[in-house]
Amino acid sequence: MTLRRQLFIAISLVFLVIFLGLMAVGINGTRDYLEQQLGSHAQDAASSLSLPLAQSLGKNDAGLANVQVTSMFDRGYFQRIAVIGIDGSVVVDRDLPTKIDGVPLWFSSLIQLHAPPGEAFISAGWRQLGKVVVVSQPTHAYQYLWKYTLEAGGWMGLGYLIAMILTRFLLRLILRPLSDIERTALAIQERRFVQIPIVPKALELGRVVRAMNRMSQRISDFLDAESKRADGFRKEAYQDEITGLDNRRSFDLRFTQLLEGDVQFSEGSVIGLEINNLKAFNTETSYQRGNAFLVTLTHIVRRILGEHAMILGRIGGTSFGFVVVGLDGTAMAGVGRELQESLQLEIESVSGDVDISFSLGVVNFHKSDKRSQVMARLDLAIESARQSGRNALQFVMEEEGDEGALGSLGWRELIQNAMAENRWTLLGQPVVSLATRDVIHREIMTRLVGTDGRLVPAARFLPMALRHHLMADIDRALLELVFGILEAGVQTEGHLAVNMSNQSLQSAEFVKWLSGRLVRLGGLAARLSFELTEYGCSIDIEAARRFASMVREHGARFGIDHFGLAPKSLQTLREVPPDYIKLDTGLVAEAPVNAGAHSLLQSVIALAHQLDVDVIAQGVESAEQVEMLIKDQVGGGQGYHFGAPSPDIGS
């Protein structure tokens, strides 16, 4: 229970006790007053009745005394009037039961009015004849007390409600710094180092806020410095100095990762741009103007390709390559023509006397294509454009071969039938501690079982699943198999790590289902890890952050896969801090032979350790790599050196 709620409940109880106490005092005081009034009324009646009774009793006329008593009693304001002789005998006695009309029985039983009797002696001269006893009827007193209770209770209730509203408002105002402190503490726990904007005036809270702000700022400054240092190494090793695009080495590594790794996409194309006669332009004008021209072309490309551009690279002095995902052939045709027109306008504005031009080629590619084959087709497309004339555009689009024989709708039907018939199988590849060789977790991979019983690799059916928006259904089927393993009590070494698709994260229905399923899984959820690719995180940072927070709430871990090569890797690490990262295969392979790549690797590891993020290397293939990674303080490794994917998931 929060401090605010505890204080609110405590203050509410105090006010409730105060208001109930005031209510009780008011009712008790009113009852005392009414009892006094009843006693006074009875006494007045007894005194006024004693004189005529003295005359009637002095003549021993009991009948007249009875008439006198009845005359007063019948007015209805009395419960009893009795005339008692000197010898104690009852001369006249008129009595009515207590009448309480218009008042709840529980109220009259809880709060009883005791009407004191009024007495007056009856005497004739010096001779005492007896006494008269009068008890007033409390009906009106009860009715008055009930009415008072209702009115006082209403005002007290209104006062209590107003007091609670004011208390809630004041507590929120006074304790707002505590809420800010709580949010900041949770952010620090999630490795986000933010500042509390308002320092409270309360001395104790002010000290706490200032201390937290100083701590958060120091850590943030240190991490900023580490990030800047790592980014410097990345730019030095993998970024073109003039345009800020990926250099040839980075382009090749990232494109290979896209084709061979776990990054999921449905449509892919490469745009090749060759600037003709740039050397003459530089000689005729200046290299500064030539560089400025290249930068301008870069801005044009970024604007037109937008979020669909996954890799933007300068792959040679006058050659550029742009990898685009998520656009079909029709959309790519439109993008290609828009790019052609924009580049032509820019060239016409700067060329002057120099015949500078460009050749633009576009080719498509599919998952698991060889990079060398795709680039060979791209060279052919660019050359065809060059032969077609000045500032020409050439498309070379190929079918998918054997994988495309089914056609788009055929693949959709195959995948849907596999889901309906649960024709899936799981493979697991171990991720081990480099120091002890203990299994940290097993990365789970899914394969579709064809109608002929053969396994269909993910690289063949996932692009079609993405195209037809079936990834959330596939992820759900995969997770049900994984959950079944855990619920069946199968013992596994370490966690079971599952890769998630961005389509699934963007499905509110899927996320709600997964959250509910993890609740049902209970403590077993702590044996799970969920992974997103670095590219997947960068597509929607907020969705990735919400997903990471959700799985952690249930005890599972969150990791980022294929990390380290993208330009915004370090930014992603800061904005969505995971429990672990998996260094990309290309970066791990480059580090032993490329000093810049090794410096980047070491800097990423240092930053991850500062954020308390575990580091795992992917694509470990040799003992020499293991030795280097241990020296660089990498904790875990994954690759064929430790084991290939296999159906043996249990220990």
Side-chain angles (χ1 to χ4, degrees), residues 28 40 45-46 54 56 147 182 209 211 247 282 326 328 355 363 400 422 428 459 462 485 492 510 573 626:
N28 190 59
S40 177
S56 58
K147 181 180 179 181
E182 179 187 12
V209 167
N247 60 20
N282 289 337
D328 59 20
D355 184 22
V363 300
E400 202 169 349
N422 197 28
L462 286 183
I485 291 173
T492 61
F510 173 85
L573 184 60
V626 172

Side-chain angles (χ1 to χ4, degrees), residues 110-122:
L110 181 65
I111 304 175
Q112 297 182 357
L113 287 171
H114 301 286
E119 296 183 355
F121 288 101
I122 305 171

Side-chain angles (χ1 to χ4, degrees), residues 611-626:
L611 289 169
D612 197 25
V613 174
D614 295 334
V615 181
I616 297 168
Q618 290 180 298
V620 180
E621 307 296 341
S622 66
E624 290 75 19
Q625 283 181 310
V626 172

Side-chain angles (χ1 to χ4, degrees), residues 238 249 253 256 565 583-595 597-598 601 617-622 625 628-629:
Y238 294 117
R249 190 60 187 149
L253 288 172
T256 300
L565 284 179
L583 299 174
D584 185 78
T585 301
L587 183 59
V588 173
E590 277 274 290
V593 296
N594 185 320
H598 194 194
L601 178 74
Q618 290 180 298
V620 180
E621 307 296 341
S622 66
Q625 283 181 310
M628 179 202 73
L629 292 168

Side-chain angles (χ1 to χ4, degrees), residues 38 68 124 133 140 162 216 285 365 367 383-384 402-403 419 423 446 453 484 508 510:
L38 289 172
Q68 291 169 334
V133 179
H140 294 301
I162 294 173
S216 182
T285 58
F365 63 88
K367 196 70 174 173
E383 185 59 32
S384 297
D402 294 338
E403 290 84 350
M419 287 189 291
R423 284 191 283 105
T446 184
F510 173 85

